[in-house]
Amino acid sequence: MLFLKLLRESFLFAGDALRQNKTRTLLSLLGVTIGIFTIIAVQSAVDTLRNNLQNSVNKLGNNSIYVQKWPWVGGSDFPWWKYLQRPESDLRDFNELSRRITTAEALSYEINIDNRTIKYKSNTVEGAQVDAASADHDKTWNFDFESGRYFTEMESKTGAPITNIGYDIAQNLFPDGDAVGKQIKVMGRYVTIVGVFSKQGKDMLGISTDKEVLLPLNFARNLIDIQSSKYGPSIIVRGKKGIPTDDVESEIKGLMRSIRRLRPGADDNFSLNRTTMITQQLDDLFKVVNIAGAIIGGFSILVGGFGIANIMFVSVKERTNIIGIQKSLGAKNYFILLQFLIESVLLCFVGGIIGLFFVYLGTFAVKAALDVQVILDAANISRGLSYSIIIGVIAGIIPAYSASRLDPVEAIRTN
């Protein structure tokens, strides 16, 4: 009980000292506020980017492998001329792979056709991405439907004149009713809408079905050369549950080399891309950004800590005679130390709260400007407040200790 009473009195002393010197308190808070704001803002930005990236990866399928001409990653010495000579993934590759593979749950052949303007009566959507895919596209990608359904296997095989459209397209073309069952003209042909994708929004990789028009592959092959390199054909393989992705990739590699009749020792003329390739590279980037933010914020906090330490020495000097009176009346050394230490911690703590408040306001600004939800979670908040308390202890411990060691007689005589 005595300790709690002394702790309460220490907080009252500290609060009174901060109120009596408002300008000094405000200037002392500035360094800590900027430091905490910088560190937590960077960490929140990295968490937001990582979460956005993970959402993108989830759409791609985190256990899917893409058989393509070009690799997804490269460096300054990227041998583009080598990959330029490679053949595209074609229907023969797809059919042979489908027939031979044993570790796959599903395979799909997909192309990106073009950006087109889609119209329905007087309503128009510009920049709609027209794609085409085989029957198992819904098994190799992750998406939901706002209304309707995906193509049936029979519709895919026969190349039925049907389509799935994105949420934004449906909202713009059919603002007053359900799009399912309506007909739109795509690539000069009328197709019936059988499904509308759920709203996905923007993401870090630019992957979204919101403005997509998806056609059955066998419908598109009657209009264009679906094996042409200008459509970026790719084969997507999703492994069976319980089978490691490395095992699936190993089987695909062996089968593709066999399908393309590559002799032993010859380089692969295809790329096997996985979403982990993207996440690994971006994780390295996030680490650098985190370190840079920590260094910048650390310097700000360091300057703020020195400022608070200086202010605490000034505070000790101003209250030396009061310290002498307190000690002559029986105040223990730890009470004096606690009194000034709490003042330092309280000062930094308030600075941290202000810094976090500005980060919180920043999340609304980013949301309004970029339509991106910034992550400011409990971990970041507790981390910011912990940094504040630690800086408060470090900055205040020496002034507080020097105050607690003052001789009461000498302190009382000090003016």
Side-chain angles (χ1 to χ4, degrees):
M1 291 297 294
L2 178 62
F3 176 77
L4 292 176
K5 184 177 180 181
L6 292 176
L7 189 64
R8 176 178 175 275
E9 290 181 1
S10 296
F11 270 105
L12 292 175
F13 272 116
D16 186 59
L18 296 179
R19 283 193 300 271
Q20 288 179 6
N21 301 279
K22 294 183 177 63
T23 303
R24 189 172 72 189
T25 299
L26 183 62
L27 294 174
S28 302
L29 290 174
L30 194 58
V32 176
T33 298
I34 294 173
I36 295 299
F37 172 82
T38 303
I39 291 176
I40 302 306
V42 170
Q43 291 178 344
S44 294
V46 169
D47 288 345
T48 300
L49 292 174
R50 185 177 284 111
N51 183 69
N52 201 309
L53 173 63
Q54 189 59 53
N55 289 337
S56 301
V57 169
N58 290 341
K59 294 176 191 175
L60 291 170
N62 52 17
N63 62 338
S64 293
I65 298 172
Y66 293 69
V67 184
Q68 297 171 311
K69 176 178 179 177
W70 296 89
W72 284 354
V73 296
S76 57
D77 56 346
F78 184 73
W80 57 269
W81 59 90
K82 171 184 174 182
Y83 302 117
L84 187 63
Q85 304 302 318
R86 289 178 169 181
E88 294 284 355
S89 298
D90 57 22
L91 288 175
R92 178 179 175 275
D93 295 335
F94 173 67
N95 292 329
E96 286 295 316
L97 203 56
S98 300
R99 185 173 64 84
R100 301 187 196 183
I101 196 165
T102 60
T103 58
E105 179 182 330
L107 290 86
S108 64
Y109 185 91
E110 306 182 3
I111 57 173
N112 303 314
I113 299 175
D114 200 0
N115 288 333
R116 300 290 178 97
T117 298
I118 306 298
K119 295 181 179 180
Y120 179 78
K121 295 183 179 178
S122 61
N123 298 323
T124 303
V125 175
E126 295 183 354
Q129 174 60 48
V130 180
D131 299 324
S134 58
D136 283 350
H137 174 74
D138 62 329
K139 298 182 179 70
T140 56
W141 284 68
N142 294 327
F143 52 79
D144 296 313
F145 284 95
E146 180 75 16
S147 59
R149 57 174 175 81
Y150 185 64
F151 318 137
T152 66
E153 187 173 353
M154 182 58 68
E155 288 169 338
S156 294
K157 286 182 177 180
T158 58
I162 56 175
T163 185
N164 291 149
I165 64 173
Y167 183 87
D168 288 351
I169 293 178
Q171 290 296 305
N172 286 302
L173 294 184
F174 311 99
D176 300 324
D178 188 8
V180 175
K182 305 293 196 309
Q183 284 192 327
I184 57 176
K185 199 171 187 178
V186 181
M187 301 175 66
R189 300 286 186 90
Y190 282 101
V191 292
T192 301
I193 299 168
V194 296
V196 177
F197 296 118
S198 297
K199 178 73 173 176
Q200 288 191 343
K202 300 176 182 178
D203 65 24
M204 188 173 175
L205 299 180
I207 299 169
S208 177
T209 60
D210 291 345
K211 298 190 75 173
E212 182 181 24
V213 176
L214 183 67
L215 303 171
L217 187 70
N218 285 334
F219 174 79
R221 74 187 304 170
N222 296 321
L223 308 176
I224 59 172
D225 178 9
I226 60 175
Q227 300 183 95
S228 172
S229 60
K230 68 179 180 179
Y231 301 127
S234 61
I235 300 169
I236 304 176
V237 182
R238 171 167 284 189
K240 292 179 179 178
K241 292 181 180 179
I243 298 179
T245 308
D246 288 341
D247 292 350
V248 180
E249 181 177 352
S250 179
E251 185 184 22
I252 295 172
K253 182 176 181 178
L255 290 175
M256 285 299 296
R257 289 184 64 85
S258 173
I259 292 168
R260 293 190 173 180
R261 298 184 175 89
L262 298 177
R263 65 180 182 274
D267 291 338
D268 294 338
N269 61 355
F270 55 88
S271 293
L272 301 182
N273 296 313
R274 295 164 57 176
T275 53
T276 51
M277 298 164 62
I278 301 174
T279 55
Q280 285 170 0
Q281 282 212 333
L282 289 177
D283 277 343
D284 292 338
L285 175 62
F286 292 153
K287 288 177 184 176
V288 173
V289 173
N290 259 331
I291 292 171
I295 291 173
I296 296 170
F299 275 115
S300 299
I301 289 180
L302 187 63
V303 172
F306 278 123
I308 287 174
N310 185 53
I311 292 299
M312 294 308 301
F313 276 117
V314 172
S315 182
V316 170
K317 187 173 180 61
E318 288 178 346
R319 290 151 56 188
T320 299
N321 58 343
I322 297 177
I323 295 170
I325 294 172
Q326 288 178 331
K327 297 191 78 171
S328 66
L329 293 174
K332 302 295 183 182
N333 287 350
Y334 69 83
F335 174 72
I336 303 298
L337 184 143
L338 197 62
Q339 178 181 321
F340 285 94
L341 192 60
I342 287 177
E343 182 177 338
S344 174
V345 170
L346 189 60
L347 196 59
C348 286
F349 189 76
V350 173
I353 290 176
I354 295 174
L356 288 170
F357 178 70
F358 281 122
V359 175
Y360 179 69
L361 291 181
T363 62
F364 290 101
V366 173
K367 174 67 175 176
L370 303 176
D371 193 26
V372 175
Q373 186 64 48
V374 179
I375 297 175
L376 179 61
D377 56 17
N380 281 335
I381 293 173
S382 61
R383 195 178 295 122
L385 296 179
S386 298
Y387 292 156
S388 303
I389 293 172
I390 291 170
I391 293 298
V393 172
I394 294 174
I397 189 65
I398 296 178
Y401 181 77
S402 64
S404 69
R405 305 302 296 176
L406 288 174
D407 179 81
V409 175
E410 293 297 327
I412 290 174
R413 291 175 180 175
T414 303
N415 294 322

